[in-house]
């Protein structure tokens, strides 16, 4: 999969050249989309510098990607990121994504869907009570046309979430907005890990023109080698605030060994009465070996 050269002969600087995995922040904008056995990879150069205490800066430029079907295509992608840890367990960051690729997997119908994104992000664990952690996340970004991108390519992105967690269990609530440009365009994320967001059925693989508001609860509990996991989503549009349905995802994982996992998952999406019909049911069994 990956073939690259890496240089780290200068203190605090690392440069990587070649085919590589790119994961930006929480992987909402750029990721390896590694649900399948074939990860999404990018050909280019990336540099990371940690010369300032508790700070990391990164810049990358990529000219080609290989998708999860093994197909390669040209693109011009620039990624920028700066992160600062003001104290242990907390991170503040800023990022930029400049994606120049007319047909980039976002099914907008536009001749050119090239875009840029500028965003801010804060994440960490706010407090501890007797082994219980309080994780939180807050993020805001703006998407705008880039290069020759269509003038309608614009919208805001918001994400906020918090909960309670221990090594054995997690309970949290999250909210995400992929905004709409007055019903003409919904924020698109064609380089993301789709299975990690907006439910496992992939019903919202492409953001509707009216945008998407996703509110969901997450629960997790582990008993020895067995872990139960579930998400409950409620979807609405940004423009017009239409009901877009709900989804329930549940899974159970059994760790046969630390490197061999057996996972049973089920996902069901129920469309709202006011939305186009499109109920989805998916069940799959996965055996994963790491070596």
């Amino acid at each position: 999969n990956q073939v690259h050269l890496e240089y780290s002969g200068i203190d605090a600087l690392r440069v990587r050249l070649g085919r590589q995995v790119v994961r930006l922040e929480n992987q909402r904008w750029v990721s390896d989309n590694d649900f399948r056995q074939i990860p999404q990879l990018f050909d280019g150069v990336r540099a990371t510098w940690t010369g300032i205490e508790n700070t990391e800066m990164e810049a990358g430029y990529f000219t080609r990607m290989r998708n999860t079907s093994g197909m390669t295509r040209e693109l011009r992608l620039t990624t920028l990121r700066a992160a600062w840890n003001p104290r242990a367990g907390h991170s503040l960051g800023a990022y930029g994504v400049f994606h120049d690729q007319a047909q980039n997997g976002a099914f907008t119908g536009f001749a050119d869907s090239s875009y840029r994104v500028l965003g801010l992000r804060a994440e960490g664990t706010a407090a501890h009570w007797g082994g219980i952690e309080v994780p939180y996340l807050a993020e805001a970004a703006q998407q705008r046309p880039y290069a020759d991108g269509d003038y309608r390519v614009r919208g805001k992105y918001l994400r906020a979430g918090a909960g309670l967690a221990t090594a054995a269990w997690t309970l949290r609530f999250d909210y995400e907005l992929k905004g709409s440009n007055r019903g003409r365009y919904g924020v698109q994320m064609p380089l993301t890990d789709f299975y990690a967001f907006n439910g496992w059925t992939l019903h919202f693989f492409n953001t509707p023109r009216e945008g998407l508001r996703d509110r969901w609860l997450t629960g997790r509990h582990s008993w020895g080698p067995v872990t139960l996991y579930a998400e409950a989503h409620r979807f609405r549009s940004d423009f017009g605030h239409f009901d877009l349905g709900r989804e329930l995802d549940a899974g159970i994982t059994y760790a046969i060994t630390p490197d061999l996992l057996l996972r049973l998952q089920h996902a069901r999406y129920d469309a709202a009465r006011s939305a186009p019909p499109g109920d989805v049911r998916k069940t799959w069994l996965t055996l994963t070996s790491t070596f």
Side-chain angles (χ1 to χ4, degrees):
N1 285 312
Q2 300 186 64
V3 180
H4 56 255
L5 297 174
E6 185 172 301
Y7 175 74
S8 56
I10 300 175
D11 187 37
L13 178 66
R14 186 183 67 191
V15 179
R16 180 173 291 180
L17 174 66
R19 178 162 291 183
Q20 56 192 282
V21 165
V22 180
R23 302 185 185 101
L24 184 69
E25 292 291 352
N26 71 335
Q27 304 183 50
R28 197 58 178 112
W29 296 100
V30 185
S31 79
D32 55 355
N33 198 7
D34 199 13
F35 179 81
R36 304 170 179 85
Q37 298 183 60
I38 303 176
Q40 179 173 265
L41 300 169
F42 297 86
D43 296 349
V45 60
R46 182 169 46 146
T48 304
W49 185 65
T50 56
I52 301 176
E53 186 177 5
N54 298 327
T55 300
E56 182 176 83
M57 297 184 182
E58 179 183 297
Y61 180 73
F62 308 93
T63 59
R64 188 168 58 178
M65 65 171 288
R66 191 203 66 182
N67 63 25
T68 54
S69 298
M71 301 173 61
T72 61
R73 54 182 177 174
E74 304 297 321
L75 85 168
R76 286 189 292 273
L77 175 67
T78 301
T79 60
L80 302 172
R81 184 180 71 92
W84 174 50
N85 295 109
R87 54 182 297 184
H90 299 267
S91 175
L92 299 175
Y95 59 85
V97 180
F98 304 85
H99 184 188
D100 184 3
Q101 186 180 27
Q103 301 303 314
N104 54 32
F107 303 105
T108 62
F110 301 162
D112 194 327
S113 297
S114 299
Y115 63 87
R116 65 169 173 83
V117 175
L118 299 176
L120 299 172
R121 177 181 173 85
E123 186 175 14
T125 302
H128 301 262
W129 293 298
I132 299 178
E133 299 180 343
V134 184
Y136 69 90
L137 181 154
E139 184 172 353
Q142 290 278 356
Q143 187 176 59
R144 293 289 185 267
Y146 175 64
D148 295 321
D150 192 283
Y151 72 96
R152 291 168 289 184
V153 176
R154 56 181 59 241
K156 62 183 178 181
Y157 173 77
L158 298 174
R159 168 83 186 272
L164 302 174
T166 69
W169 57 266
T170 298
L171 181 64
R172 65 177 290 159
F173 173 78
D174 286 271
Y175 170 81
E176 182 184 65
L177 166 66
K178 292 192 285 185
S180 173
N181 181 9
R182 299 184 179 182
R184 298 179 295 179
Y185 173 85
V187 166
Q188 302 295 322
M189 299 170 167
L191 301 179
T192 192
D193 183 350
F194 294 104
Y195 281 95
F197 302 94
N198 304 135
W200 297 345
T201 65
L202 293 188
H203 184 76
F204 295 103
F205 183 89
N206 197 63
T207 308
R209 291 182 302 161
E210 296 80 12
L212 181 67
R213 295 175 181 264
D214 183 4
R215 295 172 293 170
W216 73 98
L217 283 170
T218 300
R220 175 191 63 87
H221 202 296
S222 297
W223 295 273
V226 177
T227 299
L228 297 178
Y229 182 89
E231 293 180 359
H233 294 259
R234 185 66 185 267
F235 303 108
R236 298 190 72 86
S237 68
D238 177 39
F239 181 77
H241 300 278
F242 303 115
D243 187 0
L244 295 178
R246 61 186 65 194
E247 179 167 330
L248 178 63
D249 305 322
I252 180 170
T253 301
Y254 176 63
I256 302 171
T257 71
D259 297 322
L260 187 62
L261 302 179
L262 182 65
R263 180 179 293 116
L264 177 64
Q265 296 170 269
H266 177 73
R268 58 178 296 155
Y269 167 78
D270 294 303
R273 292 182 178 179
S274 58
D279 292 353
V280 181
R281 304 289 186 266
K282 290 184 178 182
T283 302
W284 61 99
L285 183 67
T286 307
L287 180 66
T288 303
S289 176
T290 304
F291 54 91

